[in-house]
Amino acid sequence: MRKLEAAGAVRREQYNVHPQRYEYHLTPAGGELGDVLLTLMKWGDRHLNPEDPPVRWQHSCGETLDPVVVCAHCGETARKGAHSPTAAGS
């Protein structure tokens, strides 16, 4: 938790003085990690437990969520061969 706090992903708030007790809350940066975790979950479901994923998420449309990474500009999926690195400032 200390590393997540130092990285700005969570903030710590004291809720008890004696004994000292703290609770952790996601920062806006920490909240953005949800997208990363969903794509990692999809990878794990596909490669580690393809027959019976332990958790399924339901999208607000009512269907089971199938997270994908897409280009914000054109909407195409970010798949192997569809993207390449460029130098900073290019």
Side-chain angles (χ1 to χ4, degrees), residues 2-3 8 12 14-15 28 30 33-36 41 46-47 49 55 63 66-67 71 73 76 85 87-89:
R2 289 181 185 161
K3 287 186 178 189
R12 183 171 66 152
Q14 187 173 3
Y15 69 88
L33 288 172
D35 297 337
V36 174
M41 180 191 71
R46 187 171 52 243
H47 294 283
N49 201 5
V55 176
E63 294 297 319
D66 183 19
C71 174
H73 178 73
E76 291 292 320

Side-chain angles (χ1 to χ4, degrees), residues 26-78:
L26 288 174
T27 64
E32 289 182 31
L33 288 172
D35 297 337
V36 174
L37 295 175
L38 283 172
T39 55
L40 282 173
M41 180 191 71
K42 181 177 179 176
W43 178 90
D45 291 349
R46 187 171 52 243
H47 294 283
L48 304 177
N49 201 5
E51 301 302 318
D52 188 26
V55 176
R56 291 182 179 91
W57 292 83
Q58 186 176 26
H59 190 266
S60 60
C61 71
E63 294 297 319
T64 299
L65 179 66
D66 183 19
V68 294
V69 177
V70 299
C71 174
H73 178 73
C74 70
E76 291 292 320
T77 59

Side-chain angles (χ1 to χ4, degrees), residues 6-20:
V10 296
R11 62 181 164 75
R12 183 171 66 152
E13 290 185 11
Q14 187 173 3
Y15 69 88
N16 197 24
V17 177
H18 296 292
Q20 284 189 342

